[in-house]
Structures are given as structure tokens and as C-alpha cells.
Amino acid sequence: TALIEVRDASVRYLSTGQTALSSTALTVAAGELTLVCGPSGCGKSTLLRLVNGLIPYSYRAAVTGEVLVDGRPVAGRTIRDISTVVGTMLQDPRKQVVGTTVRSEIAFGPENLGLPRAEIRRRIIEVAERVGISHLLERATAGLSGGELQMVAFAGVLVMRPKVVVVDEPLANLDPAASLRLMREVRRFVDEGGAAVVVEHRVEEILEFQPSQVLYMEDGRTRYQGPVDGFLRMA
Ligand code: ADP
Ligand code: ADP
């Protein structure tokens, strides 16, 4: 079954009356890396907010259509519940990371879930090792580089053991080496049975990570959804 299923979705922000998405569909299964691309303002972030619950939790909007995460509608579910299925990487790690130390940052989500202390400790060690930040655990987040902070944010996502990660513009705020590291981790997460939706207008760099499918949007509408080769023929 699909991990994410968006059917005929439309979104209009109530603050402005702006229609940001029209009749959009997206299906994501385990083992798939989906690239969502298109020009600025085409609705990419809105689509992410729809599948990670930020719409309607943080953004007031009128939504039609269906959004299913792990087989169940997002409507009426708590952010906490959705976050155990869909992990979100914001564009700017400085907006994502709230903990004062790296350890407390990674502990934040699991503590919120009410997991036992020993279990949280185990998960932190495991996830820090995985993304190569064990040596940073006792450091203050304020002193970290952008790349380090991004890895801390990703550890904070993985520690929740989500089935899908959504990544908003991984290339926007990072130097090339740090972007590469993050995308390698995302690819590895997918290869190990997860799934990822990566929003990025810099298409070429993401194609190196062999997306399973491309969703190309324009003006809130889907212009293409399918394999990479078809997308390249269209472009
Ligand atoms: P984020 O930081 O989540 O990526 P954006 O960078 O897209 O958000 O936008 C910054 C802020 O401006 C957000 O709070 C967003 O909701 C708001 N915003 C973006 N576009 C518009 C718009 N056209 N009208 C009103 N608010 C907007
Ligand atoms: P992208 O991520 O592709 O740049 P967005 O999803 O951010 O596109 O924006 C799609 C449309 O919705 C744009 O017209 C944008 O101005 C508008 N928009 C985005 N966020 C908000 C918001 N919080 N409130 C009102 N309008 C918004």
C-alpha cells in the first residue's frame, strides 16, 4: 500500500484567498524517492505541508480532495501522530532545530511521544552514529555550522523512525558538500526501505540521486508525473 496518497487535492490559503494547488495527485510507496520540482510559487511547499500535516495545523487553508498517510486520512489526526509516519526537513535548519544541545534536540521528538528514557538514549546513540554526529552530541546547537545543523535536524527526523521523509529544498541553504551529505543520507534511507519526497527546483543535482519518479508542477497544477526519462524528454 502507498505511504502517501494525495488524490485530486486543491488548497486555498485563507489568509490571502490564494489557490496554491489545484487537482494535484501524488502516490509514494516504500523504496521510492520522489522529486517534486517546478518554478518558484508553483505549489511545491504547499504539497509538502499537505502531506506532513502543517496544513491545516500551522497554515489555515481550505482543502478539497483526499490526503492519506500510511493508509489513513490526515484530516483529524494530530501532528504528533503524523510525525511518526512522515518526517519533515524544513528548508532552513535554523528554523527546525529548537534544542539548546544536540542531544536535547534529538531527544525532543521521542520525549514528546513519551518514550521511555532508556529507549530514547538508545535511539539517540544509534541515530547519531548513523549520520556521523556522535562527536557533536554534547555541543550547543548555536555553535554548529549550517551543514552540522542540517545533520542534527535529520537525526531528529530519523529518531522518530518515520516511514517517509519530506525534504524542502535541500540545496537552498547548504554549501555543496553539505547538500551532498544530506542527499546521500536521504538516498540511503530510501534504499533501506523508507521513502522520500524531495522538493527542489535545482533538478539536475537531484537526478544524480536517481529519483524513482518526478512530479513537475506549474502554477499549482501537475504538468508531469512519471519516471525520469519521460520527464527529460518533456523538458
Ligand atoms: P517556509 O519558511 O515554511 O518555507 P516560506 O518561505 O514559503 O515559508 O514563506 C515564509 C512565510 O511567508 C510563511 O509563513 C508563509 O506562510 C508566508 N507566505 C508565503 N507566501 C505567502 C503569500 N503569498 N501570502 C502570504 N503569506 C505567504
Ligand atoms: P513553491 O514552494 O513552489 O515556491 P508555494 O507552495 O510556497 O510554492 O506557493 C504556492 C502559492 O501559494 C504561491 O502563490 C504563494 O505565494 C502562495 N502561498 C504560499 N504560502 C502561503 C501562505 N502561507 N499564505 C498564503 N499564500 C501562500
Side-chain angles (χ1 to χ4, degrees), residues 135-155:
H135 61 296
L136 298 176
L137 276 177
E138 314 310 330
R139 292 268 299 273
T141 50
L144 301 180
S145 73
E148 288 171 336
L149 213 52
Q150 193 79 329
M151 272 309 141
V152 171
F154 197 55

Side-chain angles (χ1 to χ4, degrees), residues 59-149:
Y59 296 88
R60 298 204 328 126
V63 178
T64 61
E66 268 189 298
V67 183
L68 304 168
V69 164
D70 209 17
R72 292 185 296 140
V74 293
R77 280 160 79 179
T78 60
I79 277 283
R80 183 203 281 188
D81 178 21
I82 295 169
S83 73
T84 63
V85 183
V86 182
T88 302
M89 286 293 286
L90 298 179
Q91 204 184 104
D92 182 356
R94 279 169 223 286
K95 286 187 190 160
Q96 174 144 359
V97 171
V98 294
T100 52
T101 68
V102 171
R103 183 183 292 278
S104 69
E105 168 62 25
I106 303 173
F108 184 78
E111 279 171 357
N112 224 356
L113 285 184
L115 296 178
R117 283 175 159 288
E119 166 74 7
I120 297 175
R121 255 199 309 275
R122 262 197 306 276
R123 285 197 188 195
I124 291 174
I125 290 168
E126 183 189 297
V127 85
E129 221 156 80
R130 180 196 170 107
V131 304
I133 57 167
S134 302
H135 61 296
L136 298 176
L137 276 177
E138 314 310 330
R139 292 268 299 273
T141 50
L144 301 180
S145 73
E148 288 171 336
L149 213 52

Side-chain angles (χ1 to χ4, degrees), residues 13 15-16 18 45 49 54 59 90-92 95 168:
Y13 288 106
S15 55
T16 55
Q18 171 83 38
S45 305
R49 291 169 188 158
L54 286 184
Y59 296 88
L90 298 179
Q91 204 184 104
D92 182 356
K95 286 187 190 160
D168 197 0

